[in-house]
Amino acid sequence: MKVASEPSARLGGRKLRRILHTEEQIRDRVDELGRAIAAAYGPDDDLLLLGLLKGSFVFMADLVRRIDRPLHVDFLVVSSYGAAQVSSGQVRLLYDPRLDLAGRSVVVVEDIVDSGATVNQIFPMLADRGPKSLDLCALLYKPGAALDRAPRWVGFEAPGDFLVGYGLDCAEDLRHLPYIASL
Ligand code: IMP
Ligand code: MG
């Protein structure tokens, strides 16, 4: 693993511990995930990728461009951490487009699963809307996660450390790093 040595203005004085996944590694893995998702649905499936904002926005943008079949994109805004680095366990749904999910093949796209509380609280709400299928694609999956249902697709197993970059933030900083690093 590469030691984070970027003296970049981009970091705004924050120090990274190390880079876990480079741009190239992320690109390769997202490519694999995109192909796996495309292969999982038939021609009659009405595929919807539903990203959890804000963290999933970079992953979502890359992932949908690697899925070679028709699909729609939408987002939900959920918030669980505020400015803290430890999950409050309370998930707030800040924006809900009242999407019609009935009969659709829904893939929830999440940046990182930590405790699992976010996904565990969101999934029953979505399942109530009658999708044909409901699955999770998480870019990162932390070891302590306790999900009621296993994710169908995971990009990388994550360490317990707090991670930033590629959409993941620390108090809104560092989402724009093109790699994934630990603080
Ligand atoms: P959970 O509800 O504990 O699974 O936490 C999930 C949410 O917390 C994710 O969608 C992230 O937005 C945020 N989160 C969890 N771990 C990290 C991290 O290491 N860095 C940045 N955000 C994180
Ligand atoms: Mg998130």
Side-chain angles (χ1 to χ4, degrees), residues 61-72:
D62 285 345
L63 181 63
V64 294
R65 287 179 289 176
R66 295 290 169 267
I67 301 176
D68 196 7
R69 57 150 290 142
L71 60 79
H72 287 180

Side-chain angles (χ1 to χ4, degrees), residues 80-81 87 110-118 142 161-163 168-169:
S80 58
Y81 274 32
S87 179
E110 175 65 309
D111 54 351
I112 182 164
V113 177
D114 181 3
S115 68
T118 303
K142 284 194 185 178
D161 315 10
F162 197 78
L163 307 182
L168 286 85
D169 73 305

Side-chain angles (χ1 to χ4, degrees), residues 23-47:
E23 280 189 78
E24 293 70 25
Q25 290 166 339
I26 296 169
R27 192 182 312 123
D28 289 349
R29 189 67 188 120
V30 170
D31 212 70
E32 292 173 353
L33 292 172
R35 276 188 269 117
I37 291 172
Y41 297 93
D44 295 334
D45 285 318
D46 180 3
L47 181 62

Side-chain angles (χ1 to χ4, degrees), residues 52-56 78 110-112:
L52 302 188
L53 290 175
K54 294 181 229 171
S56 71
V78 293
E110 175 65 309
D111 54 351
I112 182 164

Side-chain angles (χ1 to χ4, degrees), residues 59-98:
F59 178 38
M60 182 70 127
D62 285 345
L63 181 63
V64 294
R65 287 179 289 176
R66 295 290 169 267
I67 301 176
D68 196 7
R69 57 150 290 142
L71 60 79
H72 287 180
V73 175
D74 217 317
F75 292 95
L76 294 175
V77 182
V78 293
S79 171
S80 58
Y81 274 32
Q85 289 189 9
V86 178
S87 179
S88 63
Q90 274 302 320
V91 174
R92 287 179 302 148
L93 205 50
L94 303 177
Y95 167 69
D96 176 352
R98 285 276 139 219

